[in-house]
Every structure is written in structure tokens, then in C-alpha cells.
Amino acid sequence: MLAATSHGRVRGQSADGIVRFLGIPYASAPQGIGRFAAPGPVRPWAEARAATEFGATAPAAGLPGPGLGFLVEPAIPGAEYLNLNVWTPGVDDARRPVLVWIHGGAHVTGSAAQPIFDGRAFAANGIVFVSFNYRLGAEGYAHLPDAPANRALLDQRAALEWVQREIAAFGGDPDRVTVSGGSAGASAVLSLLSLDTGLLRRAVVQSVAARSALSTVDAERITKELADQAGVPATAAGLATVAPGRLAELSSALALAVMADPDPLRWGESVASSSMAFGPVLDGEVLPHHPYQAVLAGAGRDTELLIGTNSDELLLLAKDEAAAAALTELIFREPVYALAESRAGAAATYVYEFGWRSPVPGAGAAHGLELGFVFDNLGHSALEGEAPPRDLARAVNQSWTSFAANGDPGWPPFTDDTPFVRWLGG
């Protein structure tokens, strides 16, 4: 099955009424000093390009540890890792609703090739589904004097610009794009929402630490620590001399160090408050305002929003249940309600809480547990146990499908008069 893009034709695979295109480049390969440059244009190709296997994944070293390594993370080598995938019911002019997924992974790991993020269930329900890779860790976020800030966010915008240009050739409607993401991916969605880019009509924000964004001072402190460990200057030119795999290892090690000891005196207040070494940086240009504060102040008011949390976001990471509950309330749930309340008179806002509890001891309704249910693709998370409820997965996936299709997940919107929250599996 062929589809035509502005850079050349791509050949996908058709099975069970779904056509899948994998590994389509949306930006040029980040190589050499270009690993720290803005995403560049794709070079056209003459012959039809095979799009039947996942493309390269961004350099990453994973995050081993309790509550962190519960998803399979394939590592696919190659420089051309700024690529995306499309699942569609048909390569035609039907102009179907589009759902774009931004993966999470604490800004240092994860990819669109993770098995749990298969888009077949969405395509089977009439949605054109898109997922993509973006730069991680230091390559995506290190704040450098000789490189643009927030390169990961620039990658994400470039992928959405590709969707606007090309998705009609895959049966999608560029005027009906929903952008969704979980955890670090949700942080990306919130950043995009705050910028009023015009690249999305609807947004889904799953389990976001909404207040998290790094000041330039703290981001520079993290970058210097990383560069010192690598033994190079804290510049793009210096970091470019470090092999991508080694830089990814250093990024993950630094991320784990911050999570283990989020000391504001050592790392800075904005790093400590999120326990994240990397993430969106308030550079004043790519990201001129704090995303959470900007949305509270009215940014993205014309964009319909589905937002929520899991009941026990930090149970696997906190030392005891009382601390986990308090941190979940402070970091995740409270900002969700504040955002929903701030959107009175804006486009519809829907709030959920995912409450199905994992059979894994001490997990509860943990951070990331909802993913297999959203994708109706169970069996890829160690947190699900041996017999997760498939009827719940079908219902959650249908709610996300309905929101992408018509802006209504199947329950009342959150308003001042009726602050309705849908409990999913609780």
C-alpha cells in the first residue's frame, strides 16, 4: 500500500483492515554538531520508500529501578531517528480524525516503538493514529550557549507540522488533530497547549507533573554537571564529541541521581520540585512562559482538553503509602483541578481519574498503569498482572477515541457548577 508525501512515496503494510506505515522521517538525522541543532528538513527520495519496520530510536539508556522499568524499551540503532509512524483505516480522502501520541519516559528514555503504543485499536475505531520519536536527555534538553533551547520541543513541533502537511495523504484531517501524551509526553502536550501553536484542536494530558519546568539557571547547572562528568566543555561543540550512547548513559544516570536526592541546594529549586534533571526549559524564546501558569492564565482556551491522573501515581517510588498519597495530591491531582477550574467559559474540559489497582504488591493505580488501557493493548506492562480487565481497556480506549473524533469522551464536562470527574476502573 502506497501513500504519497511531499518528500516521496512510502510503502506500508495492510492487515485486518488497517494500514501501517513505520519509520517515516519528519526531520533530518541529527549527526555531529547537528545533534544539538534545530530539526532540519528531510531530503526527498526518488523511489518508494519501505515503511514496514520501526525506524531508529533516539539514543537512550533506560531508567532501571522500582516503578521505572515496567515497559519494554526496544533500542533500534541508526542516525535517522526523528521518524514517525501512522496507523490508518485507509489511504484515501476520507479526512478522518487524527490522534498524535507523544511518549513519556522522564525526558530521558522511551520511544514510539514500544510495543504498548501500537495504534491498531484506534485505527480500528476510525482514527488515524500517529506516534513519533524525539530527542531525549542532553540532546533534547541540555541548555547550551551555542545551541537552540528545548530541541525536544522543536522536534515535537516539527512532527506536528508534518502532520499538518502530510496526514491528508493517509486519510486524516489536519483540521481535527488531537495531541495526547503521558507523563513526560503530557508535559510536552501542556507546553504545546501553552504556546497556542494552532497545530492541535484537542489535547489529552495524562499524569502530568504540571508545575515542572526548569529555569535557565538550573538547566545550566544540570548541563555543567553532565559536561563535567563527560570531561568536556558545557557547550554543544563539547557535548558533540561525546558518543550518543555514552551521552545517553550520562543523562539517565543524572536523572536517577536527581530522583534519588532532589536537593534544591545541589540541583536548584526548579529541578528539585519536579525531581527531573531534564525537561522543558523556560528559555524565553522557544518556551517564553511557564506552561502551567500560561494555561492557568488562559492559553489554549480554544482547545478542548481531556486531563487526569492515576489514583496512586507515586506509590511505587515513595517510601510509604502516606507520603505517596500526599505527593500524588500535590504534584498531580491538585494541578489538574486548578487547570480545569481555570478554564471556565473555555472549550470543554473533561477530567478523569484512573483507579484500577495493579495486582503487583505495592503498586496500586501506579504511574503509567493506564497506558495499556488507553491503547486497548494489554500484556505489555509488568504492572498489569496476568489477567487485567479487557472490558475496561475497551471502554477507556473508546472514550479516548470518542474525544478525538467529536470532543466528547462520554461523560459531562468539568464546570464550576458541575465539577464532574469520571472514575475509570476505580
Side-chain angles (χ1 to χ4, degrees):
M1 181 69 72
L2 292 175
T5 77
S6 59
H7 299 108
R9 294 178 298 163
V10 289
R11 179 181 294 108
Q13 285 183 324
S14 179
D16 301 323
I18 304 300
V19 189
R20 185 179 71 169
F21 298 86
L22 304 178
I24 304 171
Y26 67 85
S28 58
Q31 295 180 291
I33 193 68
R35 290 159 58 195
F36 302 93
V42 175
R43 180 177 297 178
W45 54 88
E47 302 296 326
R49 178 184 177 123
T52 55
E53 296 182 356
F54 284 108
T57 54
L63 279 176
L68 298 173
F70 61 90
L71 296 178
V72 175
E73 294 198 17
I76 303 173
E80 201 172 50
Y81 58 80
L82 296 183
N83 60 65
L84 53 77
N85 316 296
V86 180
W87 283 257
T88 179
V91 180
D92 50 33
D93 58 358
R95 296 182 72 87
R96 301 173 181 87
V98 179
L99 180 64
V100 180
W101 172 252
I102 305 180
H103 73 81
H107 305 290
V108 296
T109 191
S111 79
Q114 291 174 268
I116 200 169
F117 300 141
D118 190 294
R120 286 177 292 180
F122 286 108
N125 286 328
I127 302 293
V128 177
F129 179 84
V130 180
S131 61
F132 63 88
N133 299 323
Y134 56 92
R135 280 173 282 188
L136 303 168
E139 291 192 4
Y141 294 102
H143 198 61
L144 302 161
D146 52 345
N150 290 300
R151 294 168 298 279
L153 183 57
L154 294 177
D155 292 345
Q156 293 153 10
R157 290 191 63 160
L160 293 179
E161 288 165 357
W162 184 97
V163 170
Q164 288 295 310
R165 291 193 311 269
E166 313 289 358
I167 205 63
F170 296 83
D173 185 351
D175 293 327
R176 289 197 290 165
V177 173
T178 299
V179 181
S180 58
S183 192
S187 176
V189 177
L190 193 66
S191 294
L192 291 163
L193 186 65
S194 76
L195 294 173
D196 278 328
T197 61
L199 296 171
L200 61 155
R201 179 170 172 180
R202 301 181 178 112
V204 183
V205 177
Q206 299 170 212
S207 298
V208 65
R211 297 188 182 96
S212 299
L214 276 60
S215 71
T216 55
V217 171
D218 291 349
E220 287 168 358
R221 185 182 308 193
I222 288 288
T223 299
K224 186 177 187 309
E225 175 72 20
L226 183 87
D228 287 349
Q229 292 180 13
V232 299
T235 62
L239 292 181
T241 66
V242 183
R246 175 59 178 158
L247 195 60
E249 290 173 357
L250 291 172
S251 296
S252 285
L254 190 53
L256 286 171
V258 170
M259 289 180 186
D261 181 22
D263 181 359
L265 295 179
R266 181 180 182 187
W267 307 115
E269 186 61 41
S270 68
V271 172
S273 65
S274 65
S275 297
M276 292 286 180
F278 300 97
V281 179
L282 304 177
D283 68 302
E285 185 175 346
V286 177
L287 196 60
H289 308 290
H290 194 297
Y292 176 65
Q293 296 297 335
V295 175
L296 282 179
R301 289 179 62 81
D302 294 332
T303 304
E304 293 160 317
L305 177 63
L306 172 59
I307 187 170
T309 68
N310 294 356
S311 295
D312 306 301
E313 294 280 3
L314 296 176
L315 190 55
L316 280 171
L317 296 176
K319 294 181 180 179
D320 57 67
E321 192 166 342
L327 288 172
T328 293
E329 182 69 27
L330 176 66
I331 297 173
F332 292 94
R333 190 179 292 114
E334 182 184 305
V336 164
Y337 282 84
L339 288 169
E341 290 166 355
S342 75
R343 288 170 54 90
T349 301
Y350 299 89
V351 178
Y352 74 89
E353 182 157 335
F354 184 85
W356 183 76
R357 299 177 67 84
S358 167
V360 175
H367 187 72
L369 180 59
E370 87 287 358
L371 294 172
F373 295 84
V374 167
F375 281 79
D376 192 7
N377 188 26
L378 300 174
H380 299 287
S381 168
L383 296 178
E384 292 170 2
E386 296 182 358
R390 297 192 177 276
D391 57 342
L392 177 61
R394 287 190 293 271
V396 174
N397 178 262
Q398 184 55 55
S399 291
W400 265 237
T401 295
S402 178
F403 180 74
N406 56 45
D408 182 359
W411 61 83
F414 187 103
T415 68
D416 288 340
D417 295 330
T418 57
F420 189 89
V421 178
R422 171 68 78 192
W423 284 80
L424 302 173

